[in-house]
Amino acid sequence: MMNLYSGTTDPFSHRCRIVLFEKGMDFEVIDVDLYNKPEDIAVINPYNRVPVLVDRDLVLYESNIINEYIDERFPHPQLMPPDPIMRARARQLLHTFEQELFSNIPALEASGKGIEKVRSAVRDHLIQLAPIFTKQKFMLGDEFSMLDVAIAPLLWRLEHYGIELPKAASSLMKYAERIFSRQGFIDALTPSEKVMRR
Ligand SMILES: N[C@@H](CCC(=O)N[C@@H](CS)C(=O)NCC(=O)O)C(=O)O
């Protein structure tokens, strides 16, 4: 059985929990208190961070790498596109999300000096994505994919991070609600995440 070491409020761990629940497979989530991190995390991940996936002898860290492994081990429903060109594009977009959006997570969580600049950088990038959802249901088309998994934890935390989107981005918020209503997404939420949105 796979074991996922997961932070109860951590957006990166949230991504891996979504994939595990979407696949409906057998796994165990081990809650890690980031304010009192057990020493074994540093032993299994040289960067001393969560999430970490342990599958027998295999130990993986980095949420997107973990998620691609789970997707390949349990291909139903497949979350990465089957076609190599589309898959390469999906990986490129995953990288863009890390660079433009998720690199801001530490600053959003610390909420210190300069936070407004960070909030508006994230807001601007999300506004740019909004037109996609006037034409299609999900990021890559009409099927839920790894791209939706990757961005969902940020969309869930917008209010929590003090980011308000303008009316012009309402298609993006409708898209977010489409993800939030999925059973896999609901089941993946921890009690601390459930209370992040009203
Ligand atoms: N790029 C990594 C980021 C993981 C990460 O930054 N995890 C943070 C939680 S947000 C962590 O474990 N930090 C260690 C700590 O707070 O002590 C991923 O995608 O998995």
Side-chain angles (χ1 to χ4, degrees), residues 10-12 15 34 37 48-51 62-64 98 109:
D10 166 34
F12 300 96
R15 282 179 175 166
L34 286 177
K37 222 173 359 168
N48 197 11
R49 299 195 296 216
V50 288
E62 282 299 315
S63 53
N64 287 332
E98 297 315 286
E109 301 219 325

Side-chain angles (χ1 to χ4, degrees), residues 4-130:
L4 180 76
Y5 290 82
S6 154
T8 52
T9 56
D10 166 34
F12 300 96
S13 303
H14 189 182
R15 282 179 175 166
C16 299
R17 281 183 267 115
I18 296 170
V19 169
L20 289 168
F21 279 98
E22 281 283 336
K23 299 271 179 185
M25 42 177 283
D26 217 13
F27 58 87
E28 190 183 344
V29 173
I30 299 160
D31 287 338
V32 174
D33 178 358
L34 286 177
Y35 298 99
N36 188 13
K37 222 173 359 168
E39 278 167 21
D40 45 339
I41 299 298
V43 177
I44 55 178
N45 178 352
Y47 300 104
N48 197 11
R49 299 195 296 216
V50 288
V52 181
L53 184 83
V54 180
D55 186 18
R56 297 182 193 197
D57 290 343
L58 178 71
V59 179
L60 287 177
Y61 40 86
E62 282 299 315
S63 53
N64 287 332
I65 293 176
I66 293 173
N67 280 351
E68 279 207 44
Y69 170 71
I70 302 170
D71 195 42
E72 287 177 9
R73 274 293 306 274
F74 300 91
H76 302 290
Q78 192 168 11
L79 294 171
M80 284 298 275
D83 168 65
I85 293 178
M86 281 303 289
R87 199 156 61 235
R89 287 200 178 120
R91 289 196 180 111
Q92 195 76 83
L93 276 168
L94 287 172
H95 178 71
T96 305
F97 286 175
E98 297 315 286
Q99 293 293 113
E100 306 295 330
L101 297 171
F102 283 78
S103 61
N104 294 303
I105 295 288
L108 289 170
E109 301 219 325
S111 191
K113 208 164 156 257
I115 183 68
E116 274 314 321
K117 218 171 150 202
V118 176
R119 283 180 180 142
S120 68
V122 171
R123 187 186 304 122
D124 290 350
H125 193 83
L126 290 174
I127 292 169
Q128 279 178 39
L129 294 175

